[in-house]
Amino acid sequence: QVQLQESGPGLVKPSQTLSLTCTVSGGSISSGSYYWSWIRQPAGKGLEWIGRIYVYGGTNYSPSLKSRVTISIDTSKNQFSLKLNSVTAADTAIYFCARGWHTSGWYYFDYWGQGTLVTVSS
Amino acid sequence: DIQMTQSPSSVSASVGDRVTITCRASQDISSSLAWYQQKPGKAPKLLIYAASSLHDGVPSRFSGSGSGTDFTLTISSLQPEDFATYYCQQANSFPYTFGQGTKLEIK
């Protein structure tokens, strides 16, 4: 059974960089069958896709965040990571990592981490 | 970006009721639509993909239909564990986008 677990600071100061890691267990992140995504959810609100990475290095980002986001992958640790710079209070949210599984060329999120709350505050 | 609009935003229903939730895309997304269920404090769970395919382990009382711009999620006979928030998501093009959610509450 695949499991994903987010980790990282729960509090980040404004203008600094938010850094989170997702550790994948029960399966290899190096499998070419999947993409690995970050998704966030402000308290009481809906879901926002941030971006994704493929094990062979390809990335796609949401245009609204693209200038501030970097997603990377470490196959030796079976982890992928999110960096979001120049954060503001609007970046306060629960951050989820998720596995993108495809069928017919479309990707859906079939496994999710439990989520981690990141608060941006001084 | 493709906008996903769900209706209603909330619905009250009783155990045993049949409930339908609608999702409309701002442009044609073929059948590239998923439905997720989220309970408080938990991650979303994939229910339906490709508009009408049931994900592994999801009870058969859940069904999805539609293509193009209009989609529905139907729960044929509500069970107590089905009271949650439901989201649709389009997988047709970047950025992937979600509906605003439909909260299913106990009447």
Side-chain angles (χ1 to χ4, degrees):
Chain A
Q1 176 81 345
V2 173
Q3 293 185 317
L4 291 80
Q5 177 69 57
E6 305 89 351
S7 59
L11 181 64
V12 181
K13 289 181 167 49
S15 79
Q16 295 193 343
T17 296
L18 179 160
S19 296
L20 295 174
T21 296
C22 182
T23 301
V24 179
S25 59
S28 173
I29 203 170
S30 298
S31 168
S33 300
Y34 308 108
Y35 274 83
W36 304 92
S37 277
W38 287 97
I39 295 161
R40 70 182 182 178
Q41 184 174 38
K45 296 190 177 180
L47 298 156
E48 179 183 21
W49 178 75
I50 298 169
R52 72 175 192 178
I53 189 165
Y54 186 53
V55 64
Y56 298 113
T59 53
N60 302 97
Y61 300 127
S62 174
S64 66
L65 296 169
K66 186 174 183 177
S67 63
R68 300 194 290 130
V69 172
T70 302
I71 297 176
S72 58
I73 196 163
D74 185 340
T75 55
S76 67
K77 295 181 179 178
N78 229 36
Q79 295 175 336
F80 64 107
S81 298
L82 169 71
K83 290 189 185 299
L84 179 66
N85 58 37
S86 305
V87 297
T88 69
D91 296 309
T92 295
I94 297 171
Y95 284 75
F96 296 99
C97 56
R99 188 178 83 169
W101 158 80
H102 77 91
T103 176
S104 302
W106 298 315
Y107 282 82
Y108 306 100
F109 307 112
D110 63 343
Y111 285 96
W112 296 62
Q114 65 187 23
T116 188
L117 174 62
V118 179
T119 301
V120 178
S121 175
S122 56
Chain B
D1 298 4
I2 297 176
Q3 305 303 313
M4 306 300 292
T5 304
Q6 290 181 230
S7 61
S9 294
S10 64
V11 58
S12 295
S14 301
V15 173
D17 284 354
R18 178 185 181 92
V19 170
T20 298
I21 298 169
T22 297
C23 179
R24 175 165 288 176
S26 61
Q27 62 189 72
D28 188 340
I29 59 169
S30 186
S31 296
S32 63
L33 184 102
W35 289 97
Y36 299 86
Q37 176 194 69
Q38 187 178 33
K39 295 182 179 180
K42 301 293 187 182
K45 173 186 170 184
L46 179 63
L47 299 175
I48 302 283
Y49 64 92
S52 61
S53 297
L54 205 63
H55 188 52
D56 293 345
V58 176
S60 59
R61 63 181 179 273
F62 291 92
S63 63
S65 66
S67 67
T69 60
D70 293 314
F71 303 86
T72 59
L73 171 70
T74 299
I75 310 172
S76 60
S77 178
L78 276 173
Q79 298 301 300
E81 60 269 29
D82 299 338
F83 292 95
T85 300
Y86 293 83
Y87 293 94
C88 60
Q89 174 241 326
Q90 65 83 15
N92 186 73
S93 61
F94 299 125
Y96 297 142
T97 47
F98 295 83
Q100 81 280 13
T102 294
K103 187 173 184 179
L104 178 51
E105 299 174 300
I106 300 174
K107 184 182 288 184

